[in-house]
Each structure stands twice: as structure tokens, then as C-alpha cells.
Amino acid sequence: MSIKDIAKLAGVSASTVSRVVNQRQYVKPEIRERILALVKQTGYVPNNAARSMVLKRTFTVGIVIPDTFNMFQRELFSIIEHHLEGFGYRTSFFFVKWEPESEMKCLRKLKGEKLDGIIMIHEVSHPEFYEYLTASSLPVVLCTFDRPELEFLSIHVNEEEGARAATQHLIELGHRRIGLLSGSYFSFAAQRTVGYKAALEAAGLAFDEGIVERAPSYSAEEGRDGMRSLLSRAKGLTAVFAETDELAIGAIRTLFEAGLSVPGDLSVVGFDDIDICAFLSPGLTTVRQPIHEMGKKTAELMSALIAGELAGVDSTTFGFELIVRESTARPRA
Amino acid sequence: MSIKDIAKLAGVSASTVSRVVNQRQYVKPEIRERILALVKQTGYVPNNAARSMVLKRTFTVGIVIPDTFNMFQRELFSIIEHHLEGFGYRTSFFFVKWEPESEMKCLRKLKGEKLDGIIMIHEVSHPEFYEYLTASSLPVVLCTFDRPELEFLSIHVNEEEGARAATQHLIELGHRRIGLLSGSYFSFAAQRTVGYKAALEAAGLAFDEGIVERAPSYSAEEGRDGMRSLLSRAKGLTAVFAETDELAIGAIRTLFEAGLSVPGDLSVVGFDDIDICAFLSPGLTTVRQPIHEMGKKTAELMSALIAGELAGVDSTTFGFELIVRESTARPRA
DNA sequence: TGAAGTTCTGAAAACGTTTGCAGATAACGT
DNA sequence: ACGTTATCTGCAAACGTTTTCAGAACTTCA
């Protein structure tokens, strides 16, 4: 069912059908109605491929996201998609593994799609990826991370300050020996670690590598394993700061298995405030990123970038919020 | 950077470039190498839109999934995507709300994309949606549900038997008053309810509407609220069967808030075995769907359907597995 | 030497759209 | 009645590919 079929049925040319479908110029009301009726009746929808060929835009923005995306990222892209739709853009997802091979495959796909813009939800490892983005002069927005040395717009929170606040919360409760459950790859891991150290330092506490565990990734499973390792070698811990909620959940599991109570024996803080935090038992104390505002802003920036409305378009650092629930308490006397 | 640019650079016609890129027919080795070098150097990738116009296929299959997709569905589509990629297909996601309007919007998008096939991960409410799928004679696979009255292939587990097994597990532990936390919309809710009733009946226990709570959807939040309602009006409960893990998680949260212990005071069983079940404290007893096999089979079916290899292509009912963790125990004497 | 392949290459058409241009008709003001 | 403008419509080109067809150049073989 193509535009020509509709044209034939309506006894007009394809141009005319195109004009009514796209609401362009003058079309005699009578003919317009006839065509509209035919469109509705046949369920005709223009072929995107053909359309994008002549218009040289796809009205589609690509979202690149790790294939291991967590619930925070999942919610984030739903929000972004929603707002992008409001601006008239479709969304295409690209799930990529933390492997050069996967990233290059993703890059090929991106190129083939001829997208109008690209939103990166989290980083990639291969420099060629960013090089292409720069060279292509495509609209790009980095969401939840930044690469200040590259010239991309970025939407993010101050990771360092967030981690600092989380750690400080534990210190204020009276904790002195606070373990760190860190992640890998992504730059926020390093940034959150910096914040953890800063809080320690501000309180006059020494940073001790012996109570730091660096997990290979960010899953609950790795949080569980990391905490096991930590528990076996770091004695005297009364609290743990996990750099993501998933790591925290895994850590709590290990504590449960070891017969330790949270927050009775150990306090735990996470980061991100994924949905499930509020429904855990105990509820997880964590650092909330303003996910709705961030997603909205990301879509707005992208839309402005595509439209070439560069006034007022700039990177934004959002504030975070420490959400205190039940997984943190004063250390046992 | 189009095929013509490459052709010009190589001093040949576009046809020849096309032939080497697609590895067709004879091309003089010397020229082939020259073109290949140019392709690598320029990073040329064929334009999908143009390609799909002439080939009349997109090598893309659409996956329709509720925008509230849970972790089970999230994992499922990752698996499907992975296998589909192995068959040479791209994947395009369509997140749809349980609202006619959203579904119709999705339908328009599907039509515009000219997909090679469509995988439905969960149901839609608007009959017109299925009507289009039927009328279009597109390859369609329903994954995790079935519509026997329609002629689509389907991959699913026996929901009824799964729920029956979950309930029976509670009965065998000695529970007699087992609440039900049910969901809405999707047909599996009704099927799981039937299984619950069947187990009760088989054990000679009466079905009691008074200890059934029907949540408006399937989120942890709704599980929490549903359990609150159940707790206030259904006295004497010693166990609850929640029709999804998320409902179960919410239910456990309510129990925690009420100062009741799981499984000490109440046993809880879920359904699906989403990733997090094993990391909760206590770990959630649940019914596992063989998600990897189901995803693989779905991709295989789709691939066969598109290729027209209809031999051996048929719906499959997969077995489930009761995973007993720590959220269920004998009732307190 | 010539006929019959085999290997290689390019011109052109096609896919489904949109749009500039030009032509046709209608409406209007004088 | 006539020029001017406003309204309407279709033709044809273009977008970036793939593929059929035909023809050219080279091999092979009698």
C-alpha cells in the first residue's frame, strides 16, 4: 500500500496525496477529504525509508546504552524516549557491550541508520567511537556522564559530591571504618571513589585500601561477591558505601547470608535510587539522581541541537539528593 | 559518503562497489582490494533506507513490549536480540502502554518501518492491533503468552501449572489459608489464578474471594498496596502467592513495615524468577521460566518464519521450575 | 583462426517518497 | 472584458541503493 495506490484510488497524483498527508499548501477540500478517508480506510502510513531518503533526515535519534543496563538506566531511557516523542522524534536503541568489537558493530549500525542525533547513556571504551561522533558532526548528548576533553554536551550530576554526601552521612552517624564497594569501566566509579575519599579526609579519617573492594562490574552478583571478599579480609567494618544500588543489594545479601543484620551490624548506602530501593527490607539509603529532570533536559537539548537552535543549549550539572531509608543507623555501641 | 563517492574515488561504477560490498559475482581482485581499502578508509556503510527500498526488506524485526517492562521481560528481549543478531537481523523496540491510544501509535510506527517480522512480548488490549498483524501476513511470534483463537505462533510456559505448583508447594508445607495477590490486563494473571484455585481444590481447600487481592498492575508498589489491603481484611493468613515477583517484593515490604517476618510469620511465593530474587533477603521462592531457551526459540521461529522455512515451525510450551529459596517455610505451629 | 565460454563492468531501471516548477483554473478588482 | 492574484494540480527529478541486461575483454579449446 503505497502513496501511488492511494493516488490511484482517489484519482489524483501522488503529489497531491503527499500534500494532504503532510498538510502542505492548498488542496481542494473535497479532494482532501476523499484522500483522508482513503488513508484511514486503507491504514496507509508513509514508508519511513523512502521518506528519509528524500528528506535526508530520519526523525530518529539513537540511544546507546550498555546491554547490562540497570534499572536506573532503564527508567532514564523511558523518560528520554517519552520526551523525544513529544518533540516528534522516534527512538532507536543500541545495546552495546563493554567490548571494542561490540562497540564497533554498534558504530556500523549507527552509520547505516543515518540518525538525526545520538544520545549516549553511559560510556564506551573504544576511542574511535567518540572520534566518529565528533567527525560526523552529528548532534550528540552524553547523559549521566561527561567527557570534558571532548566537546559534547553532557547532562549529569556531580558524582563526586554525591558520593561525598553518602559517605558523610555514615560518618555523621558515627561510623569510622567504612568499607567501599566500587565498580569498574565507567568514569563515575572513579569519581564516586574520589568523593568517598574526600569525605573521609574531611573527617580526618585515613583512606585504607584494605577496606576497598573493586568489583569487575556493577551487578548485584558482583556486589555479593565483593562484600564476601571484603567481609573476609576487612575486620571491624561498621558500614559500607556501595557505588551503585545494585552493588549495595548484593552486599546486603552477603550480610544476610553471614547472619549479620542491616543496619544493626552494618550500615549500607547505595547510589542512584533505582525503583526497587524503596521496596527492599530494609529500604536502602541512597543518593538519588533527579532522573526525570535529567531525562527531560536530555531530550530538550537533543531537540534543540537538531533544530540548530543553539542559544541556551549547554551542559548541565544536576543536584542530587540523599535519601535516608532504613539501611543506615548509628553503629552498635 | 555514498556508494557513488566510493565509486568515483575508485574510478569504477556504483554497481561494482555494490558488488564488492555485498560480495556478489566476479570482480577483478585488484579492483576489489582497491574498493575494500577505500571502504575501510572512509568508514563507508550502506544506507539502510536506500537498501531496504530496493530489496523490499529491512532485515529488522520489531519487538513490542510494555513500557512498564519488568526485569524478566528486559532479560528476555536481550536474549532474543542476541539470537536475532546471530541470524543477521537488527532489532527495533516498541514500548507500548496499556492504552488503546498508545497501541495505535505503536501500530502506525510499525507500519512505517516496514519490518520483516514482529515479536510480541506481552499482550495489547486493542483488537485492531492483532487484526493488522493477521491482515498484514507478517511473520509474528507471541512470546510469553498465547492467543489460541488467533493463528500466531507462540512461545510460553504453562502458566496454570506453574501457579499450581507454587500454591501446592505452600500447601505441602502445611499452609491452609493462602492469600492471592493477582494482577490485571494480561491473560497470564487469569491463568495463574486458575492454577492457584486448582491447587486449592486438589487439596480440598475452599477458594475464598476474601483472601484475594487484584492489583491494578504488576509493580512492587502495587504489591505493597495490595498486601496492605489484604493484611487489613484477611485475617489468619499464613502464606501468600503473588502472581509476579515484583508483586511479591512489594508484599514482603508491607510485611516488613508491619513488623511481620518472612517466612516466620508469612510465607511468600512469586512467579518469573527475575534476577533479583536470589539477592533479596530472604531469597524469594518462585517459579522460574526457562528464559534462555524461550528467547532462543523465539528468535529461531522468527528467523524460520521470515525465511519461509515452515517445516518444524510450531508453537512451544516450555516447562517451568519451582525454585525454593528462603521466603517459604512451614507455618508457625 | 574462430567459436564458445568465462570473467568482468557499467548503464539504467526500480523502490516510495517530497518538492520545485509550471501550467490550469477560479476569484477578484477595475 | 481583462489583467492580476490566489488557489489548485501534476510532471519530473532526486535521494542511495541493488540488480538485470547487455556488452566488452579475456580464456579456452578445437
Side-chain angles (χ1 to χ4, degrees), chain A residues 95-111:
Chain A
F95 300 100
V96 37
K97 291 194 222 304
W98 187 260
E99 299 166 358
E101 196 199 349
S102 167
E103 293 170 357
M104 289 303 98
K105 193 186 286 177
C106 174
L107 198 49
R108 271 198 302 283
K109 285 188 190 171
L110 287 178
K111 288 180 180 175

Side-chain angles (χ1 to χ4, degrees), chain A residues 116-234:
Chain A
D116 284 1
I118 294 177
I119 292 171
M120 306 281 300
I121 298 186
H122 266 62
E123 308 162 64
V124 292
S125 64
H126 205 309
E128 199 178 307
F129 203 113
Y130 293 116
E131 282 163 19
Y132 165 72
L133 293 183
T134 305
S136 70
S137 69
L138 267 173
V140 172
V141 177
L142 312 181
C143 186
T144 66
F145 73 103
D146 196 7
R147 278 288 183 118
E149 78 279 15
L150 306 174
E151 304 250 297
F152 300 123
L153 288 183
S154 157
I155 294 296
H156 57 269
V157 295
N158 189 327
E159 305 280 356
E160 201 176 310
E161 281 301 310
R164 195 176 189 283
T167 311
Q168 195 178 324
H169 165 66
L170 291 170
I171 294 172
E172 282 168 0
L173 284 171
H175 295 278
R176 288 294 168 266
R177 206 162 153 71
I178 302 167
L180 175 67
L181 211 44
S182 181
S184 307
Y185 313 142
F186 303 132
S187 54
F188 74 71
Q191 290 162 359
R192 291 178 189 177
T193 299
V194 169
Y196 161 82
K197 283 184 188 173
L200 253 40
E201 188 170 356
L205 298 171
F207 171 71
D208 176 3
E209 272 289 358
I211 56 174
V212 172
E213 176 72 23
R214 205 155 286 276
S217 181
Y218 297 91
S219 67
E221 191 175 359
E222 274 140 348
R224 182 195 62 193
D225 296 345
M227 192 67 221
R228 276 182 190 159
S229 153
L230 214 49
L231 217 48
S232 68
R233 51 176 242 258

Side-chain angles (χ1 to χ4, degrees), chain B residues 247-264:
Chain B
L247 288 175
I249 288 169
I252 290 174
R253 173 69 200 180
T254 287
L255 267 13
F256 173 81
E257 287 173 1
L260 296 171
S261 87
V262 176

Side-chain angles (χ1 to χ4, degrees), chain B residues 117-272:
Chain B
I118 293 176
I119 293 171
M120 305 281 301
I121 298 186
H122 266 63
E123 307 162 64
V124 291
S125 64
H126 204 308
E128 200 179 306
F129 202 114
Y130 293 116
E131 282 164 19
Y132 165 71
L133 293 183
T134 306
S136 70
S137 69
L138 267 174
V140 172
V141 177
L142 312 181
C143 186
T144 66
F145 72 104
D146 197 7
R147 278 289 183 117
E149 78 277 17
L150 307 173
E151 304 251 296
F152 300 123
L153 288 183
S154 157
I155 294 296
H156 57 269
V157 295
N158 190 326
E159 306 280 356
E160 200 175 312
E161 280 301 312
R164 195 176 191 281
T167 312
Q168 194 179 323
H169 164 65
L170 292 169
I171 294 171
E172 283 169 1
L173 283 171
H175 295 278
R176 288 292 168 268
R177 203 159 155 74
I178 301 168
L180 175 67
L181 211 44
S182 181
S184 306
Y185 312 142
F186 302 131
S187 54
F188 74 71
Q191 289 162 358
R192 291 177 190 179
T193 300
V194 169
Y196 161 84
K197 284 185 187 170
L200 254 39
E201 188 170 356
L205 298 172
F207 171 72
D208 176 4
E209 273 288 357
I211 57 174
V212 171
E213 177 71 23
R214 205 154 287 273
S217 181
Y218 296 92
S219 67
E221 190 176 359
E222 273 139 348
R224 181 196 62 193
D225 296 346
M227 191 67 221
R228 278 183 191 157
S229 152
L230 213 49
L231 217 48
S232 68
R233 50 178 243 257
K235 301 297 170 191
L237 248 39
T238 64
V240 175
F241 168 45
E243 286 179 355
T244 69
D245 290 336
E246 264 118 343
L247 288 175
I249 288 169
I252 290 174
R253 173 69 200 180
T254 287
L255 267 13
F256 173 81
E257 287 173 1
L260 296 171
S261 87
V262 176
D265 296 305
L266 259 106
S267 288
V268 177
V269 185
F271 202 117
D272 282 345

